[in-house]
Amino acid sequence: MAERYDAVTTEKKWQQRWEESGLYKFHPQPERPKHYALTMLPYPSGNLHMGHWYAYSPSDTAARFMRMRGFDVFFPMGFDAFGLPAENAAIKRGINPKHWTYSNIDYMRSQLKAMGMMIDWDQQMVSCDPEYYRWNQWFFIQFYKRGLAYRTFAPVDWCPKDNTTLAREQVKGEDRVCERCGTPVIKKDLDQWLFRITQYADELLDFSGVEWPERIMTMQRNWIGKSEGAHVTFATEAGDPIEVFTTRPDTLWGATFMVLAPEHPLVDRLTTDEQRAEVEAYKLAASRQSEIERQATDKEKTGVWTGGYAINPVNNERIPIWIADYVLMGYGTGAIMAVPAHDQRDFEFARKYNLPTPVVVQPVGQQLDGATLTEAWPGDGVMVNSGPLNGIPAGKEEGQSVKAAIQWLEEHGKGKAAVNYRLRDWLISRQRYWGTPIPMVYCQQCGEQPVPEDQLPVELPEDVDFTPTGQSPLKLHPTWRFTICPQCGGPAERDTDTMDTFVDSSWYQYRYLSPHFDQAPFDPEIGRNWLPVDQYTGGAEHAVMHLLYTRFWTKVMRDLELITFGEPMLRLFNQGIILGEDNEKMSKSRGNVIDPDHLVARYGADAVRLFMMFIGPWNQGGPWNNQGLEGTVRFINRAWNIVTEEARGGTTAGDPTALRRSTHRTIKKVGDDLERFAFNTAIAALMEFVNELYKARETMAYNTDAWHEAIRALTLLLAPLTPHLSEELWARTGGDGSVHLQSWPQYDAALTVAEALELVVQVNGKLRDRITVPIDTQEEHIKAAALNNEKVQASLDGKTVAKIVVVPGKLVNIVVK
């Protein structure tokens, strides 16, 4: 009887030995091909939850697999440690965010070690370390010197009670209230720092040379939102220009009103005394909505007439100017021309406020009447009621209306061809404490000045006071904000904003390579050998924030000549989400959170890792299932027993060649599956293999060379998936060194070819049984085998066989009358 496998004791033993031996230390081996594997780093909230396990267990398995395949693998980990939760915790607990953060990091690092991850903690980076954020500040200064960082008025969420701006995360609920005091939030323009990501818009649309999921690329392209059309200038009756961008300049003759964003600078001048009270009330209401709410397609369209008019430049008609919350200052010019007959949003607005709806595109074979339209006509047709465009086919191709309209506008000085982007520059200013200080000073004599690079980092002061007003302690600190102008030496003040935490995660993959290098953001020699990242894994929810920003940052680094490539990660894989047993997202409020520490203490980390990967396809996610976890525990025990338990073997004839075929087919299957992150089917193949070994143990194949080959293969195949179990099995079977330094087993292709086929047998399309035949069996013999099957014979019951259809490799269908 084999000794019982003690997962908890075994795992602690090997974790200690791995650390003592430096098994996972990063020692580059130039003779091996490099593989930089990276998974998105966690925020140090204080505890690893199941989502972390679901992200990290498979990525660690994939990294281990690549190492066994002969690659020199780098698989680092760190902490995205700045941000609002730490600041809120500091206010709640009366402690400095630094102490809360580093305490959490210590605990989470111990949890990651307990997971058995292949990490060299000497390569760790923590974004709130001055050693790291010094280079955030250095980058900011380089961006500033190149005109990529600039300061301007920009709209922010503002709490009128605390008199402070709020980050997105600080605005809570559908009512959009301040997280700290519950006051309704409004929009306000303040001086803010932005990065000019729009300068790279066209390049960010191009994904050449990378293997990323199509949906991520589509989401980014849609977010960037490149549109081709024309800029057209309308004018108010007072002569003020109002520029609009339109993708359909051919419909200008159908524009019957204009709509401005409530924040548009001309609104106050356009508004008449009679309309002012209504306009001001509407502006306040709009300021309380998020951009997502304002742009919702199912939202009822509302607006207010300013009392002012504009002149349509193509026909000199006087059209009213409205404001509406669905128009945003950040998109285009903050003004649109409304063509209600051919845009559904404009149509709904026009119908609500009884505005005219002239038709300027008639569909072929139809006669639309603007007065009786029930919805807008956005399709093609022929231009009508459009002056010089009448009779021209509507469309964007050569010889059609859009190009003709642009030509007419340019010839008459009314507008010009233009390209517009939905993407806006990245607003990085945050009016809070726990983040990277922006390295700028302000002097009354010299204006804004970057901090000299030899004075970096500008460190956060620790003696701060979080006042009830919610304002940043940096603004209220008695000494920190006062400094000397680097230009004239006179008195100056520091910028008291800190950077968006997405700055921290935009370039962290570079710092991992040399986290203590003090001459540059990373050691360029190491970077030349290891960059870019080969495989990145993480959640798809970061598609248009982190994943877009890190691409932008890499392109700027290339232009700064720090690197020679333009994409940060060559391959990207997005895992799904682990759900509770109720099929809902895990959350404390739902009461469906599973504590991984409790499970590890009871079953061991390998069992939890294995279940995370067996739950379903990694890119789809799935619900937690305690019975499923029990199943992986049983598999681990069966694998342990089959390797360690002595058996006498059987007297039944056993075919060692058949066992070898099973071994080599499993090696191929598991390797192929791990290469494409199909962990669940790789584990299923190993479970089936263990079952085959139990059968073989009862035959004369036991204890043969084929048996020992199979046991060795099983131990090696388990190594990436269950690192502790396989290490113990390797030692128990006399393996040299660590199992994690061994090569992935090779398979003989000739032994992987199936010798037999299992075919479904149907009678009149209904399943009756399955038969197994040699792979080279001729069709007539397959038919005979199907007819002679006992269950088939019973179902025929004297009926006449009309025909037999053989679908090669799949089934036999016997048609009877």
Side-chain angles (χ1 to χ4, degrees):
M1 189 73 178
E3 101 182 62
R4 179 178 170 274
Y5 180 58
D6 184 345
V8 175
T9 302
T10 299
E11 290 176 358
K12 288 179 179 177
K13 176 182 74 173
W14 285 112
Q15 288 163 15
Q16 182 178 349
R17 291 190 185 180
W18 293 338
E19 190 164 349
E20 291 171 351
S21 66
L23 178 66
Y24 301 131
K25 292 296 181 186
F26 178 50
H27 296 303
Q29 303 174 60
E31 69 277 8
R32 288 188 168 205
K34 69 97 175 177
H35 181 76
Y36 187 172
L38 185 65
T39 190
M40 293 180 187
L41 75 177
Y43 181 80
S45 58
N47 193 22
L48 289 181
H49 52 70
M50 275 303 173
H52 292 116
W53 276 79
Y54 194 65
Y56 299 155
S57 299
S59 54
D60 179 69
T61 293
R64 290 177 177 278
F65 171 63
M66 294 300 288
R67 183 175 183 173
M68 293 182 74
R69 288 184 57 203
F71 287 85
D72 191 13
V73 175
F74 182 46
F75 181 60
M77 181 58 69
F79 295 91
D80 192 8
F82 272 140
L84 186 64
E87 192 156 325
N88 284 343
I91 295 171
K92 183 178 180 180
R93 295 172 173 81
I95 60 173
N96 190 288
K98 178 178 179 179
H99 303 148
W100 183 83
T101 299
Y102 279 95
S103 174
N104 289 348
I105 287 172
D106 288 342
Y107 183 71
M108 291 177 71
R109 190 188 300 112
S110 68
Q111 288 182 299
L112 288 163
K113 289 179 179 179
M115 196 185 292
M117 292 185 70
M118 189 181 75
I119 294 170
D120 177 1
W121 288 103
D122 289 341
Q123 301 297 132
Q124 167 190 264
M125 58 72 51
V126 178
S127 65
C128 65
D129 282 346
E131 185 180 40
Y132 182 80
Y133 70 72
R134 164 194 180 184
W135 297 106
N136 283 349
Q137 295 171 339
W138 182 87
F139 274 120
F140 180 97
I141 292 169
Q142 310 317 307
F143 282 33
Y144 180 77
K145 290 177 179 178
R146 296 179 71 90
L148 295 175
Y150 66 97
R151 193 168 181 244
T152 189
F153 274 114
V156 295
D157 286 319
W158 177 266
C159 175
K161 179 181 177 182
D162 289 342
N163 290 318
T164 185
T165 58
L166 303 173
R168 263 187 308 269
E169 305 95 325
Q170 293 172 292
V171 181
K172 297 299 180 184
E174 294 182 2
D175 294 334
R176 289 183 49 76
V177 297
C178 174
E179 180 189 62
R180 290 175 174 173
C181 69
T183 301
V185 169
I186 63 172
K187 287 286 185 181
K188 187 174 182 178
D189 283 344
L190 287 180
D191 270 328
Q192 303 277 289
W193 282 100
L194 296 93
F195 285 157
R196 212 178 297 275
I197 189 174
T198 52
Q199 187 167 311
Y200 288 81
D202 277 326
E203 194 175 352
L204 288 167
L205 290 167
D206 182 6
F207 288 86
S208 299
V210 299
E211 187 180 335
W212 280 35
E214 187 61 41
R215 64 172 175 161
I216 300 296
M217 296 189 290
T218 298
M219 289 170 72
Q220 289 200 5
R221 290 185 179 118
N222 290 342
W223 187 260
I224 295 166
K226 183 178 181 179
S227 302
E228 296 183 0
H231 278 138
V232 183
T233 304
F234 289 68
T236 69
E237 290 186 302
D240 294 312
I242 305 177
E243 187 178 76
V244 301
F245 172 81
T246 175
T247 59
R248 292 298 305 271
D250 53 336
T251 63
L252 270 161
W253 284 262
T256 58
F257 62 99
M258 293 193 74
V259 184
L260 306 185
E263 303 86 359
H264 196 287
L266 281 178
V267 170
D268 289 343
R269 292 181 60 183
L270 285 164
T271 303
T272 62
D273 291 341
E274 294 81 5
Q275 293 296 110
R276 192 164 303 279
E278 193 174 358
V279 167
E280 290 300 321
Y282 190 86
K283 286 169 62 178
L284 178 62
S287 74
R288 296 217 52 245
Q289 298 180 68
S290 70
E291 292 185 2
I292 293 174
E293 290 171 325
R294 285 172 61 170
Q295 288 198 302
T297 56
D298 58 350
K299 178 179 179 290
E300 182 183 0
K301 304 301 179 287
T302 63
V304 173
W305 179 40
T306 65
Y309 289 88
I311 305 302
N312 188 326
V314 300
N315 56 18
N316 293 319
E317 289 189 2
R318 186 171 179 255
I319 61 176
I321 301 174
W322 291 64
I323 61 171
D325 55 14
Y326 68 81
V327 180
L328 304 175
M329 277 305 299
Y331 295 150
T333 63
I336 66 166
M337 64 177 207
V339 184
H342 306 291
D343 180 278
Q344 186 61 27
R345 184 175 57 181
D346 296 344
F347 176 82
E348 293 171 6
F349 194 93
R351 282 291 187 261
K352 181 170 183 176
Y353 296 107
N354 297 314
L355 297 165
T357 311
V359 173
V360 293
V361 179
Q362 283 288 4
V364 177
Q366 297 185 49
Q367 192 67 31
L368 301 181
D369 181 354
T372 59
L373 279 177
T374 58
E375 61 182 2
W377 170 257
D380 294 335
V382 178
M383 302 303 301
V384 296
N385 303 319
S386 300
L389 301 187
N390 284 339
I392 296 177
K396 298 183 178 181
E397 301 301 321
E398 202 64 46
Q400 295 182 332
S401 58
V402 171
K403 293 187 182 297
I406 292 173
Q407 182 179 346
W408 186 91
L409 289 168
E410 291 179 339
E411 288 174 352
H412 290 80
K414 306 289 188 180
K416 59 182 179 179
V419 176
N420 193 54
Y421 298 89
R422 183 178 181 270
L423 178 69
R424 292 170 292 168
D425 283 337
W426 175 9
L427 193 156
I428 68 153
S429 291
R430 296 292 181 269
Q431 289 72 34
R432 61 186 185 220
Y433 164 73
W434 194 234
T436 300
I438 291 176
M440 297 295 291
V441 299
Y442 303 96
C443 171
Q444 288 189 349
Q445 300 297 322
C446 307
E448 64 185 32
Q449 300 289 323
V451 173
E453 292 178 23
D454 61 4
Q455 294 180 21
L456 300 179
V458 177
E459 293 194 37
L460 289 168
E462 291 196 32
D463 56 332
V464 292
D465 179 25
F466 290 95
T467 67
T469 66
Q471 290 180 298
S472 169
L474 298 180
K475 183 173 288 188
L476 304 174
H477 196 279
T479 60
W480 181 87
R481 67 190 179 102
F482 300 107
T483 186
I484 296 172
C485 173
Q487 189 72 22
C488 69
E493 291 193 21
R494 298 190 187 280
D495 196 306
T496 58
D497 284 354
T498 54
M499 298 186 201
D500 180 6
T501 55
F502 278 111
V503 168
D504 307 329
S505 58
S506 290
W507 69 279
Y508 74 107
Q509 65 269 26
Y510 300 96
R511 190 64 179 172
Y512 276 140
L513 294 166
S514 45
H516 307 298
F517 192 67
D518 63 359
Q519 302 301 307
F522 62 93
D523 186 326
E525 183 176 350
I526 298 177
R528 276 191 292 273
N529 295 327
W530 279 92
L531 295 170
V533 172
D534 295 286
Q535 178 66 65
Y536 198 36
T537 58
E541 67 272 17
H542 298 290
V544 295
M545 300 291 280
H546 161 61
L547 289 172
L548 186 64
Y549 293 151
T550 191
R551 293 183 65 222
F552 160 63
W553 205 279
T554 290
K555 295 175 193 308
V556 177
M557 289 177 66
R558 177 205 58 203
D559 293 346
L560 291 170
E561 298 185 351
L562 295 172
I563 53 178
T564 59
F565 51 87
E567 291 290 346
M569 298 97 181
L570 299 180
R571 288 184 70 206
L572 172 67
F573 188 95
N574 300 125
Q575 79 269 3
I577 298 174
I578 185 72
L579 304 173
E581 287 192 277
D582 55 2
N583 267 301
E584 298 288 341
K585 187 174 181 179
M586 287 189 186
S587 70
K588 291 180 181 178
S589 62
R590 290 193 179 97
N592 63 353
V593 173
I594 305 294
D595 180 10
D597 289 358
H598 172 74
L599 295 174
V600 170
R602 181 177 179 183
Y603 299 111
D606 280 349
V608 180
R609 285 173 62 110
L610 206 62
F611 179 65
M612 289 282 100
M613 290 179 274
F614 190 55
I615 206 168
W618 193 32
N619 64 336
Q620 294 180 19
W624 181 265
N625 183 299
N626 279 323
Q627 290 184 340
L629 177 61
E630 295 282 357
T632 58
V633 172
R634 287 194 297 273
F635 168 68
I636 285 173
N637 289 329
R638 281 172 61 78
W640 167 263
N641 290 337
I642 199 66
V643 175
T644 62
E645 191 175 71
E646 290 287 341
R648 290 178 297 178
T651 56
T652 307
D655 183 0
T657 302
L659 178 57
R660 291 199 70 218
R661 289 185 181 279
S662 178
T663 299
H664 286 254
R665 282 197 297 269
T666 303
I667 293 171
K668 182 180 187 305
K669 171 66 174 169
V670 173
D672 290 348
D673 285 352
L674 292 184
E675 190 165 6
R676 58 189 182 90
F677 293 166
F679 304 101
N680 59 322
T681 52
I683 295 168
L686 285 168
M687 290 177 171
E688 185 177 340
F689 184 45
V690 168
N691 289 339
E692 291 295 322
L693 288 174
Y694 270 92
K695 294 175 184 177
R697 190 175 66 170
E698 303 305 317
T699 73
M700 294 176 67
Y702 176 71
N703 220 15
T704 62
D705 288 344
W707 173 264
H708 296 303
E709 179 189 33
I711 294 299
R712 183 179 187 277
L714 173 64
T715 304
L716 293 171
L717 296 178
L718 285 169
L721 297 152
T722 54
H724 309 89
L725 170 69
S726 57
E727 191 77 281
E728 183 69 17
L729 291 176
W730 184 255
R732 294 284 183 121
T733 54
D736 292 330
S738 169
V739 72
H740 301 299
L741 296 177
Q742 309 308 310
S743 296
W744 189 252
Q746 301 296 307
Y747 63 84
D748 183 338
L751 293 175
T752 65
V753 178
E755 289 189 301
L757 288 175
E758 183 179 73
L759 302 175
V760 169
V761 181
Q762 300 173 336
V763 176
N764 285 352
K766 293 184 178 180
L767 175 66
R768 295 306 177 190
D769 202 359
R770 290 176 171 82
I771 60 172
T772 301
V773 298
I775 195 168
D776 55 355
T777 303
Q778 295 180 4
E779 184 172 309
E780 290 305 312
H781 293 155
I782 292 175
K783 292 178 179 179
L787 282 173
N788 290 327
N789 179 272
E790 185 177 340
K791 292 181 180 178
V792 171
Q793 285 291 322
S795 66
L796 292 179
D797 192 24
K799 297 183 179 72
T800 302
V801 176
K803 63 178 178 179
I804 303 176
V805 179
V806 177
V807 180
K810 293 185 178 180
L811 60 84
V812 181
N813 186 31
I814 301 170
V815 181
V816 298
K817 295 179 180 178

